[in-house]
Amino acid sequence: MSTSLPKISLWARIINLLAPRQCAVCGRRLEPHEDIVCALCNLNLPRTNYAQTPYDNEMAQLFWGRAPIERCAALLHYQAAAPASVLLYRLKYGNQPDLGLDLGLLMGKELLPTGFFEGIDFIVPVPLSRQRARQRGYNQSEMLAQGIAQATGLKMRRGLIRRIVNTGTQTHKDRWERADNVNNAFKLTGKLPKEGCHVLFVDDVVTTGATLCACMACLSGFPGVKVSVLSVGIAQTR
């Protein structure tokens, strides 16, 4: 099987020479054919492969008995201070919205051949409160959703659900505290285009699933609605 690299245009090589890009994990200069991360870091990313078993994996099991769920997938296993965690830290706190777009494109391209997006009607990024959005300058989940939409051709719905309470950080809370923290934090502010539609929620990191359960609760009054979840990371909680 051929392992030749894709052809790179002269213009792309000139741009790479004048404005070199860096690997988002290790900081090494990227080659023209590399995107987001260098080949070595890409090889070592802790991929979950959950898209191969989207109905029954550790992420899907977080929602069993708590919310109706169809498919679940995360690109990576997330562990604080691990090399790959730099990706999510830069996305969330490093003022790098373009990184979210690139990661969304990567997820969309990698999962598209698995059939994960079949039957999905539209994408909904998990919303931020207005206060948090002003502080950060962007919603990282929305940037991810934009990239996924570009890669898959699916539409994104920004205004379907709004976060009406700024609950503060969830980082140091356990599962039950997280659930209490986000109860009634979201409100349905838009309309579904049809009965029985299939909604894909997109988030950066899923830990206990409390935030997503609160989002899903906003759709509980609509008969036949299907919900799936996609994130960059799934945190290890046990």
Side-chain angles (χ1 to χ4, degrees):
M1 183 175 69
S2 173
T3 57
S4 60
L5 295 174
K7 292 182 179 179
I8 307 298
S9 70
L10 177 61
W11 182 243
R13 293 182 184 278
I14 292 173
I15 292 176
N16 190 60
L17 180 65
L18 297 176
R21 302 166 301 139
Q22 291 183 317
C23 172
V25 174
C26 71
R28 188 184 70 83
R29 179 171 176 166
L30 293 177
E31 297 295 332
H33 63 274
E34 295 174 334
D35 197 18
I36 309 178
V37 296
C38 67
L40 181 59
C41 287
N42 186 51
L43 183 66
N44 291 320
L45 287 177
R47 286 177 169 81
T48 67
N49 297 314
Y50 284 171
Q52 304 296 332
T53 56
Y55 297 96
D56 185 1
N57 55 54
E58 289 185 9
M59 184 174 173
Q61 291 167 18
L62 285 174
F63 300 99
W64 290 358
R66 301 167 66 195
I69 197 76
E70 287 287 315
R71 307 169 202 151
C72 287
L75 181 67
L76 308 173
H77 290 290
Y78 172 79
Q79 184 176 359
S85 68
V86 174
L87 283 170
L88 287 157
Y89 187 86
R90 289 180 173 175
L91 170 61
K92 202 165 185 175
Y93 304 111
N95 192 27
Q96 296 186 26
D98 288 346
L99 178 58
L101 186 66
D102 291 340
L103 282 170
L105 281 166
L106 175 65
M107 286 196 294
K109 290 175 181 178
E110 287 200 10
L111 270 63
L112 196 58
T114 70
F116 182 84
F117 299 105
E118 290 181 6
I120 301 289
D121 289 295
F122 55 89
I123 306 168
V124 174
V126 172
L128 284 180
S129 67
R130 291 183 179 179
Q131 177 183 344
R132 187 61 59 83
R134 283 195 300 268
Q135 292 172 345
R136 192 164 294 164
Y138 59 94
N139 178 354
Q140 70 275 8
S141 296
E142 188 172 307
M143 300 308 299
L144 292 167
Q146 285 184 25
I148 295 167
Q150 287 185 27
T152 62
L154 293 171
K155 293 183 178 180
M156 181 180 73
R157 291 281 303 275
R158 285 189 184 88
L160 183 66
I161 293 174
R162 184 163 62 91
R163 190 162 196 151
I164 56 176
V165 178
N166 182 17
T167 54
T169 181
Q170 297 270 77
T171 304
H172 302 294
K173 296 180 173 65
D174 62 25
R175 172 173 173 172
W176 308 113
E177 289 174 327
R178 284 170 181 260
D180 289 340
N181 200 40
V182 295
N183 277 342
N184 304 313
F186 299 91
K187 180 181 179 181
L188 184 70
T189 54
K191 294 182 179 180
L192 295 180
K194 62 179 181 180
E195 286 190 4
C197 60
H198 194 162
V199 181
L200 176 64
F201 281 106
V202 169
D203 205 357
D204 53 354
V205 180
V206 173
T207 303
T208 65
T211 298
L212 284 156
C213 283
C215 288
M216 294 178 203
C218 294
L219 305 179
S220 60
F222 295 91
V225 168
K226 297 179 181 178
V227 177
S228 292
V229 173
L230 177 59
S231 68
V232 179
I234 172 73
Q236 301 300 303
T237 58
R238 47 183 184 175

